[in-house]
């Protein structure tokens, strides 16, 4: 491994936003030993930040401290470096110490997004979920367009079995990124867990509409793939439960209208799932799994 190839791979990790801590640490320390970072120009600071995080991840705090010293010397009182120092503190000190450190930073600058997120992360790790939810809600009041923040809030509520609140948080995600089928699928599954089956079915159908083949391909010619398969499973689950218990079809906290053609949707979901697994192999676990799926979709 040459210094040049190591630097190229590290740069590609940064572009792809890949953590790959062990690989980054090995290549980064090699570059440090060969003094290859001295010729990087301004990119050296991104490299040092990347190596510091990787070193913390693998438990080499001595290397992380070496990187932090150089970053602090170059960027004194930098919010980004302060946050990195906080992550270093989390790795070696009790969470209360890190929490106090982040609180002091926020008192000095309440707009430091990275520090605010780290504080919320520490609160959740300490088991103070209620306080973490309150803190994250305040954060989102200020930084409404943070999609990751809304997803985190939805996850916190779901972990507390508060699925209605989780669904409300996800609704903000859909407002910010309505074109992302993954968020629609998550909302559909959350609505299903919350017991709002009409809404869940509607959103599962939206996922299919967004992902099932291209516009020029007919439904009969397409084979469901990826999250489309998961959406068809959701449709099948919804239609089955509604058929077994008609009351859930008219019970919707969101006020979603019940489906008009429930039996047809159930038949379509069954056909789509059969198509999905019909193209699989003929032997071994694949064939056995296909048999289980066919038996499940055929059962009432």
């Amino acid at each position: 491994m040459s210094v040049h190839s190591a630097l190229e791979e590290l740069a590609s990790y940064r572009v792809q936003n890949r953590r790959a801590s062990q690989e980054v640490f090995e290549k980064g320390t090699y570059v440090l030993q060969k003094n290859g970072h001295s010729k990087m120009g301004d990119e050296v600071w991104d490299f040092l930040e990347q190596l510091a995080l990787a070193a913390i991840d693998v438990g080499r705090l001595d290397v992380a401290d070496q990187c932090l010293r150089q970053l602090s010397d170059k960027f004194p009182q930098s919010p980004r470096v302060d946050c990195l120092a906080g992550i270093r503190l989390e790795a070696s000190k009790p969470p209360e110490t890190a929490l106090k450190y982040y609180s002091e930073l926020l008192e000095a600058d309440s707009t430091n997004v990275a520090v605010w997120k780290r504080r919320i992360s520490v609160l959740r790790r300490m088991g103070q979920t209620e306080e973490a939810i309150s803190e994250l809600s305040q954060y989102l009041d200020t930084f409404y367009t943070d999609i990751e923040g809304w997803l985190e809030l939805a996850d916190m509520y779901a972990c507390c079995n508060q699925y209605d609140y989780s669904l409300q948080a996800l609704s903000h995600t859909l407002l910010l990124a309505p074109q992302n089928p993954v968020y629609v699928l998550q909302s559909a599954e959350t609505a299903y867990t919350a017991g709002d089956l009409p809404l869940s079915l509607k959103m599962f159908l939206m996922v299919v509409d967004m992902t099932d083949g291209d516009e020029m391909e007919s439904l009969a010619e397409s084979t469901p793939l990826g999250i489309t398969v998961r959406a068809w499973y959701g449709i099948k689950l919804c239609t089955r439960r509604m058929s077994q218990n008609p009351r859930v079809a008219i019970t919707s906290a969101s006020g979603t209208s019940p489906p008009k053609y429930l039996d047809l949707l159930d038949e379509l979901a069954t056909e789509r799932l059969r198509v999905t697994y019909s193209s699989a192999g003929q032997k071994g676990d694949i064939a056995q799994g296909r048999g289980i799926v066919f038996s499940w979709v055929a059962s009432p």
Side-chain angles (χ1 to χ4, degrees), residues 65-96:
D65 289 338
Q66 180 182 348
C67 297
L68 272 169
R69 280 194 295 270
Q70 296 184 58
L71 289 167
S72 297
D73 291 343
K74 177 64 178 178
F75 305 104
Q77 298 181 335
S78 164
R80 190 162 175 169
V81 176
D82 287 341
C83 185
L84 189 59
I87 297 173
R88 162 65 178 87
L89 200 63
E90 290 180 49
S92 60
K93 300 293 183 181
E96 292 81 7

Side-chain angles (χ1 to χ4, degrees), residues 36-287:
H37 63 297
S38 61
K39 300 178 182 179
M40 291 181 65
D42 288 339
E43 286 189 15
V44 68
W45 311 117
D46 291 331
F47 161 75
L48 289 173
E49 181 183 37
Q50 180 186 27
L51 179 56
L53 285 170
I56 292 171
D57 285 345
V58 301
R60 286 295 304 273
L61 301 183
D62 56 323
V63 176
D65 289 338
Q66 180 182 348
C67 297
L68 272 169
R69 280 194 295 270
Q70 296 184 58
L71 289 167
S72 297
D73 291 343
K74 177 64 178 178
F75 305 104
Q77 298 181 335
S78 164
R80 190 162 175 169
V81 176
D82 287 341
C83 185
L84 189 59
I87 297 173
R88 162 65 178 87
L89 200 63
E90 290 180 49
S92 60
K93 300 293 183 181
E96 292 81 7
T97 303
L99 199 62
K100 181 181 178 182
Y101 172 77
Y102 290 137
S103 297
E104 292 172 352
L105 291 177
L106 286 174
E107 286 180 7
D109 181 11
S110 60
T111 63
N112 192 328
V113 171
V115 168
W116 208 340
K117 285 186 172 183
R118 291 308 309 176
R119 173 178 163 78
I120 294 167
S121 174
V122 172
L123 284 170
R124 189 174 187 186
R125 193 168 70 248
M126 293 172 65
Q128 299 181 19
T129 308
E130 186 174 342
E131 187 175 349
I133 288 175
S134 175
E135 191 87 10
L136 182 53
S137 298
Q138 293 179 39
Y139 166 82
L140 290 169
D141 283 342
T142 306
F143 302 99
Y144 176 80
T145 57
D146 190 331
I147 293 177
E148 290 183 356
W150 287 111
L151 291 173
E152 181 73 11
L153 183 60
D155 185 62
M156 286 186 187
Y157 279 130
C159 288
C160 298
N161 297 326
Q162 297 180 346
Y163 297 107
D164 290 332
Y165 289 118
S166 180
L167 196 57
Q168 289 178 22
L170 287 170
S171 69
H172 293 280
T173 303
L174 296 180
L175 284 174
L176 295 168
Q179 76 286 355
N180 192 320
V182 175
Y183 301 154
V184 181
L185 179 64
Q186 185 175 350
S187 299
E189 293 176 344
T190 304
Y192 182 89
T193 309
D196 193 337
L197 266 63
L199 176 62
S200 178
L201 178 59
K202 178 181 178 180
M203 302 192 86
F204 278 129
L205 289 169
M206 288 174 60
V207 175
V208 171
D209 185 53
M210 297 169 73
T211 62
D212 194 9
D214 57 55
E215 296 180 357
M216 302 301 295
E217 188 177 25
S218 68
L219 185 63
E221 297 172 343
S222 66
T223 300
L225 299 170
I227 66 172
T228 311
V229 179
R230 192 176 180 97
W232 280 117
Y233 269 115
I235 293 169
K236 181 65 180 179
L237 285 168
C238 288
T239 55
R240 175 175 291 181
R241 281 194 60 191
M242 289 179 180
S243 298
Q244 293 172 345
N245 184 3
R247 288 188 60 185
V248 301
I250 58 174
T251 303
S252 174
S254 62
T256 305
S257 301
K260 293 182 179 179
Y261 307 104
L262 192 62
D263 292 340
L264 292 177
L265 285 174
D266 183 75
E267 290 178 12
L268 181 59
T270 299
E271 186 273 336
R272 290 287 81 199
L273 290 172
R274 284 181 174 274
V275 169
T276 299
Y277 291 92
S278 293
S279 59
Q282 301 297 322
K283 298 180 179 180
D285 293 339
I286 293 177

Side-chain angles (χ1 to χ4, degrees), residues 1 5-7 9-10 12-13 18-31 47 50-51 54-55 57-58:
M1 177 174 60
S5 64
L7 288 174
E9 289 191 50
L10 290 170
S12 71
Y13 288 157
R18 284 185 58 196
R19 194 79 170 225
S21 300
Q22 188 62 46
E23 292 85 352
V24 168
F25 177 77
E26 292 173 356
K27 292 176 174 61
T29 51
Y30 175 79
V31 170
F47 161 75
Q50 180 186 27
L51 179 56
D57 285 345
V58 301

